[in-house]
Amino acid sequence: MADKVVTHPTKVENQYVNRELSWLQFNARVLQEAYDKKIPLLERLRFLGIFSNNLDEFFKVRYATIRRIEEAGKTGRSFLGGFSAKELLAEITQIAIEQQAQSLKILSDIQRELRKENIFIINETQVTRKQSKFISDYFVRHVSPAMMTIMIGEVDEFPNLRDNAAYLAIRMVMSKEDDTFETKYNYALIEIPRTIDRFVVLPKEGEKQYVIILDDLIRYCMSSIFSIFNYETISAHMIKITRDAELDIDSDLSRSFIEKISKSVKKRSIGDPVRFVYDKNIDTETLQFLLEKMGIDKTDSIIPGGRYHNRRDYMNFPRLGRPDLQYEPKEPLPIPGLSMDGRLFDKILEKDYLLHTPYQTFMYVIKFLREAALDPKVKSIKITIYRLAEVSHIASSLINAKKNGKDVTVQIELQARFDEEANIKYAELLQSEDIRLIFGVKGLKVHCKMILVERLENKKLIRYGVISTGNFNESTARVYTDYTLFTADERICKEMNKVFDFFEVNYQVKKYRHLIVSPHYTRNAITHLIDNEIKNKKAGLPSGIKLKMNSLSDYRMIDKLYEASRAGVQIKLIIRGICCLIPGVKGMSENIKAISIVGKHLEHPRVFIFENAGRPKIYISSADFMGRNLDNRVEVSCPIYDEDIKKEILENFEIGWSDNVKARVISIKNDNAYLKNNKPPIRSQFKMYDYYLNKLEVN
């Protein structure tokens, strides 16, 4: 059934798939999850919310970037994989319209299934007398104080609509007796408050559970809102505007970096519109009135939608006490041999340990920092921060360490997309505690994830390092799969310290023998590793490349993989999101196979495995094979030297590669076909948990 989601196969005219269209194919895979009837109902709603949230961010950033290219009068064909900017904008809009329509059908199907489970999402026309009193009280107490209503027919200047906020566009046909307005038709906008849950749970009636969407609750109370006017009819239709979210940072040298980022983030609220979504049932006059007032024309992405927008809110649909309609919760497991009760430093000094979230508990990272904060032998803590949880134990541990006299240095990335405001708040908090902050390297985002602790043991300074493929964020660690290495290997920790030195003295490019660091070394180092596999293949030695990452879009890196394929090197790719490489094309990529796994968890690790004549070289990394990761960010790829951990990562890769339930085949067809074979069903994310459970039982 899930195969029937329209994925809009892309016409491929050269050796690459366009990046933006490949991303839309990834989001179609998310929509497939919402469509899949084997997935619990409330989880299907969550995937629908993820799909919508993804699309919002895509338009704010990628669509906006292409629009800038088009407005600059450039075609961008070489940059955009053979498309002109104008052609690509039209193609994206068409796909978005199709996917939007499909998501509405899926939502309708899910709501029908929910009714079978005695869960009813009602609208304003279905409210009972009993529910009416509850809704009226709720509106007066919670909604009305938070609501913004603007009479747009009466204002000289049209209000600046907030990016991705949802609005009800109100049209009143005035009665002859009303002399409040000069015109027969009058318009208003109601902004749906963001401070109130979008879904209001109504009192239960027997076994039946009722939910009303906040939009409909407001519609139900419309006569109360506009009671001072005398109108014949009133109607309300949802609209939403998406604005260009690229940051334009000023060059005022007198302003601090925090001030510049803060000012740039605020400018997003007045960024150019890049998408206008409206209820397709809106009357023509109201739509035309809005478009004219907002200065939106046919060159913008104008998308007819359903009755409700901001379906990203379905990510937080109330659980209603129905665990049977959700994924079975799995308790994160401990790492074999690494007790949370003892001292982590003693254990890490003996050997390296690998944490694989969310299968194993992220609390090891928190425990590591808390232990460092309290240990009198610890002299300093250095950390890179890209995204923190809303309530961060990482931040509190760092503050605790500072209060205990430790030297704490935090490299915090203020330009982490859509987390700028949160990171600014954390930066100000840490700064208020006299923690030393570094704001990265000019022109480069710092995307690597590292913690380095220096501890004085027997008059000798011993370093302990943590390197991760994902953020030090306890919230996302429950959903994202990521690897985190704990090590006291001096080869690695010494070079981690060099990276922190580079943050402070940018003009000195360090040399590394073990870590692979962007922007200076990653491209050449990976190219050399691929060349080595080509050489081994030609020499008749064991060869092969296995890569797992979020995105593969860098054309030069793709060309190198094509070269390896033509030389006969077998290449396996697990790419969750964007994949501009086309596998399986004779004479170009016939030795490359690629899959994408989209399921319960978001696949996030970057893992590079090179066969190396039977002595595999394995790296975990913060970097995808994208131009920005290779050339415009500080990224770290860390070698795995522990043989047990090497074996674990290889076995993990094979579990993913064997998935025939949630894996989609990436091919020239670009159709998101599920991987089908005659083998017993393997759902890799479920099998991965069992893998770690078995490791505990064996130990």
Side-chain angles (χ1 to χ4, degrees):
M1 198 72 167
D3 295 81
K4 293 184 180 179
V5 166
V6 174
T7 55
H8 209 287
T10 307
K11 182 172 68 173
V12 179
E13 296 182 343
N14 57 19
Q15 67 264 43
Y16 315 112
V17 175
N18 169 268
R19 169 186 160 149
E20 279 65 42
L21 300 184
S22 179
W23 184 93
L24 287 167
Q25 287 295 89
F26 154 68
N27 211 29
R29 296 193 281 276
V30 176
L31 197 56
Q32 283 179 322
E33 293 298 288
Y35 194 85
D36 189 346
K37 294 189 176 181
K38 294 176 184 175
I39 291 176
L41 269 176
L42 295 181
E43 302 295 348
R44 290 175 64 191
L45 271 182
R46 187 173 68 88
F47 278 112
L48 201 63
I50 294 169
F51 162 82
S52 182
N53 187 64
N54 287 348
L55 200 59
D56 285 346
E57 293 190 0
F58 174 80
F59 269 89
K60 283 196 278 189
V61 179
R62 294 306 307 169
Y63 186 93
T65 299
I66 300 159
R67 193 165 174 269
R68 287 187 180 198
I69 293 170
E70 198 264 340
E71 287 176 346
K74 299 175 182 178
T75 66
R77 285 189 185 276
S78 59
F79 174 70
L80 299 174
F83 285 84
S84 72
K86 187 175 181 179
E87 291 168 344
L88 188 55
L89 290 173
E91 181 81 357
I92 289 170
T93 299
Q94 181 58 36
I95 294 172
I97 289 171
E98 289 180 17
Q99 290 185 347
Q100 191 90 299
Q102 187 129 38
S103 70
L104 290 173
K105 290 178 183 176
I106 292 170
L107 178 58
S108 178
D109 178 56
I110 293 172
Q111 288 176 330
R112 191 164 48 250
E113 294 297 316
L114 284 171
R115 287 193 288 273
K116 293 178 185 177
E117 296 289 341
N118 275 329
I119 296 172
F120 299 87
I121 302 174
I122 63 170
N123 63 36
E124 76 279 11
T125 67
Q126 299 166 311
V127 174
T128 65
R129 185 176 298 176
K130 186 178 178 182
Q131 292 165 342
S132 177
K133 184 177 185 319
F134 176 90
I135 287 172
S136 297
D137 288 347
Y138 189 90
F139 177 79
V140 170
R141 290 172 180 272
H142 302 287
V143 183
S144 182
M147 205 170 64
M148 184 76 71
T149 305
I150 308 165
M151 303 304 298
I152 54 176
E154 295 298 299
V155 294
D156 295 329
E157 188 175 337
F158 195 83
N160 184 47
L161 302 193
R162 293 172 62 187
D163 176 58
N164 271 333
Y167 293 86
L168 286 174
I170 312 298
R171 182 179 190 249
M172 289 183 283
V173 180
M174 311 309 295
S175 69
K176 292 178 182 178
E177 290 76 25
D178 190 295
D179 60 358
T180 312
F181 304 109
E182 294 179 3
T183 58
K184 182 177 177 60
Y185 304 104
N186 268 283
Y187 302 95
L189 284 178
I190 297 176
E191 182 177 345
I192 306 298
R194 295 188 187 188
T195 54
I196 303 171
D197 289 340
R198 185 80 181 277
F199 302 99
V200 180
V201 179
L202 302 176
K204 202 171 177 181
E205 296 182 13
E207 293 299 311
K208 294 182 177 180
Q209 294 178 297
Y210 294 91
V211 176
I212 188 168
I213 298 177
L214 185 58
D215 323 3
D216 289 332
L217 187 147
I218 293 171
R219 283 183 170 105
Y220 185 77
C221 298
M222 208 105 77
S223 59
S224 170
I225 299 167
F226 297 101
S227 60
I228 65 170
F229 303 124
N230 194 358
Y231 53 83
E232 292 176 2
T233 62
I234 188 167
S235 60
H237 295 87
M238 186 72 74
I239 64 167
K240 179 176 78 171
I241 193 165
T242 305
R243 297 185 181 277
D244 185 337
E246 284 295 277
L247 294 182
D248 294 315
I249 301 170
D250 68 46
S251 55
D252 184 352
L253 296 177
S254 67
R255 301 172 69 87
S256 74
F257 194 52
I258 291 181
E259 287 178 308
K260 290 179 184 179
I261 297 296
S262 184
K263 181 181 176 184
S264 187
V265 169
K266 286 175 183 174
K267 282 184 178 178
R268 277 183 178 158
S269 64
I270 55 171
D272 290 340
V274 292
R275 179 180 59 158
F276 179 75
V277 185
Y278 63 93
D279 182 342
K280 62 180 179 295
N281 293 320
I282 197 170
D283 55 279
T284 307
E285 293 83 1
T286 304
L287 179 61
Q288 203 54 44
F289 173 84
L290 290 167
L291 293 176
E292 286 175 10
K293 288 287 187 181
M294 296 168 72
I296 294 173
D297 57 37
K298 291 179 181 178
T299 63
D300 296 300
S301 189
I302 302 172
I303 298 174
R307 179 179 168 90
Y308 310 100
H309 305 330
N310 279 5
R311 287 193 299 281
R312 64 172 182 263
D313 293 332
Y314 280 104
M315 289 192 289
N316 298 312
F317 190 82
R319 294 312 186 181
L320 302 170
R322 293 293 302 270
D324 55 315
L325 301 181
Q326 303 169 51
Y327 282 126
E328 179 188 351
K330 297 281 189 182
E331 194 67 29
L333 302 168
I335 299 173
L338 193 59
S339 171
M340 289 286 284
D341 295 328
R343 277 218 303 251
L344 293 186
F345 290 121
D346 292 348
K347 288 287 189 179
I348 295 168
L349 191 60
E350 294 172 6
K351 70 181 295 293
D352 292 354
Y353 288 91
L354 187 73
L355 166 66
H356 194 178
T357 54
Y359 311 110
Q360 296 168 316
T361 177
F362 182 77
M363 284 305 296
Y364 282 104
V365 179
I366 307 295
K367 160 79 171 167
F368 180 86
L369 278 175
R370 283 182 176 164
E371 189 174 316
L374 299 179
D375 189 340
K377 293 183 179 179
V378 168
K379 301 305 173 186
S380 72
I381 301 172
K382 299 175 184 177
I383 185 172
T384 61
I385 289 175
Y386 195 74
R387 299 187 202 278
L388 288 175
E390 189 174 346
V391 178
S392 174
H393 296 301
I394 298 289
S396 62
S397 297
L398 295 171
I399 292 169
N400 192 9
K402 180 63 180 177
K403 288 183 183 297
N404 283 328
K406 315 300 180 191
D407 181 13
V408 180
T409 302
V410 177
Q411 150 58 49
I412 187 164
E413 181 49 69
L414 295 184
Q415 297 181 75
R417 181 95 66 194
F418 303 124
D419 275 276
E420 298 95 344
E421 289 182 83
N423 283 5
I424 287 168
K425 286 178 184 175
Y426 271 118
E428 290 171 341
L429 171 66
L430 296 171
Q431 215 165 35
S432 71
E433 297 289 345
D434 289 330
I435 288 174
R436 191 157 166 273
L437 297 186
I438 305 173
F439 296 120
V441 183
K442 188 176 181 181
L444 302 174
K445 277 189 182 180
V446 176
H447 189 247
C448 58
K449 285 82 179 179
M450 305 189 305
I451 304 171
L452 188 66
V453 168
E454 293 181 322
R455 189 169 184 262
L456 196 61
E457 300 175 17
N458 299 320
K459 298 182 180 180
K460 183 182 178 184
L461 209 59
I462 304 295
R463 294 189 179 103
Y464 295 82
V466 177
I467 296 188
S468 186
T469 64
N471 297 305
F472 298 127
N473 183 320
E474 49 268 50
S475 296
T476 56
R478 292 193 287 268
V479 183
Y480 290 23
T481 67
D482 271 303
Y483 286 124
T484 302
L485 180 72
F486 295 86
T487 183
D489 190 316
E490 185 57 21
R491 294 171 294 181
I492 293 172
C493 293
K494 185 178 180 181
E495 294 194 352
M496 288 175 69
N497 198 50
K498 283 187 179 182
V499 178
F500 280 104
D501 287 345
F502 172 68
F503 295 148
E504 302 195 58
V505 186
N506 309 150
Y507 56 83
Q508 286 185 2
V509 178
K510 308 291 182 181
K511 293 185 178 180
Y512 305 91
R513 293 184 57 204
H514 304 279
L515 299 182
I516 300 175
V517 181
S518 292
H520 302 111
Y521 299 108
T522 304
R523 186 181 291 281
N524 287 341
I526 298 296
T527 299
H528 176 75
L529 287 163
I530 295 172
D531 281 337
N532 189 54
E533 296 307 312
I534 294 171
K535 184 184 76 173
N536 287 340
K537 178 64 181 176
K538 289 178 178 177
L541 297 171
S543 66
I545 300 170
K546 297 172 183 175
L547 304 174
K548 181 172 183 175
M549 61 187 74
N550 298 317
S551 298
L552 171 56
S553 64
D554 185 82
Y555 292 165
R556 286 160 60 191
M557 204 58 76
I558 290 170
D559 287 342
K560 200 69 196 174
L561 292 171
Y562 285 159
E563 181 187 338
S565 173
R566 285 191 291 268
V569 178
Q570 296 297 311
I571 301 170
K572 295 179 178 180
L573 306 174
I574 303 178
I575 313 292
R576 172 176 56 86
I578 297 166
C579 185
C580 297
L581 178 149
I582 308 168
V585 177
K586 191 170 177 59
M588 181 176 80
S589 58
E590 65 262 46
N591 290 309
I592 303 177
K593 293 180 180 177
I595 61 172
S596 173
I597 299 168
V598 176
K600 178 182 178 181
H601 305 304
L602 186 139
E603 296 284 331
H604 197 250
R606 292 86 165 186
V607 181
F608 314 146
I609 302 169
F610 299 92
E611 182 59 32
N612 191 39
R615 300 182 305 279
K617 287 188 175 182
I618 300 175
Y619 296 83
I620 61 170
S621 180
S622 59
D624 292 307
F625 284 5
M626 305 177 77
R628 68 186 189 192
N629 300 100
L630 301 171
D631 305 321
N632 299 309
R633 288 185 174 187
V634 178
E635 308 274 11
V636 170
S637 301
C638 176
I640 300 297
Y641 290 139
D642 184 280
E643 292 301 324
D644 291 337
I645 296 177
K646 277 188 178 183
K647 182 172 180 286
E648 179 181 330
I649 291 175
L650 287 168
E651 288 171 348
N652 283 182
F653 188 93
E654 289 310 312
I655 290 171
W657 193 253
S658 66
D659 194 311
N660 55 8
V661 176
K662 288 296 169 188
R664 281 75 156 178
V665 178
I666 298 173
S667 71
I668 195 168
K669 293 179 182 177
N670 210 15
D671 59 358
N672 281 342
Y674 283 83
L675 193 154
K676 310 262 187 199
N677 54 36
N678 296 323
K679 297 177 181 178
I682 294 175
R683 191 166 175 175
S684 59
Q685 293 182 349
F686 290 3
K687 187 172 180 180
M688 200 76 76
Y689 186 86
D690 293 339
Y691 168 87
Y692 285 105
L693 199 57
N694 291 336
K695 282 178 81 75
L696 279 177
E697 290 170 359
V698 168
N699 281 271

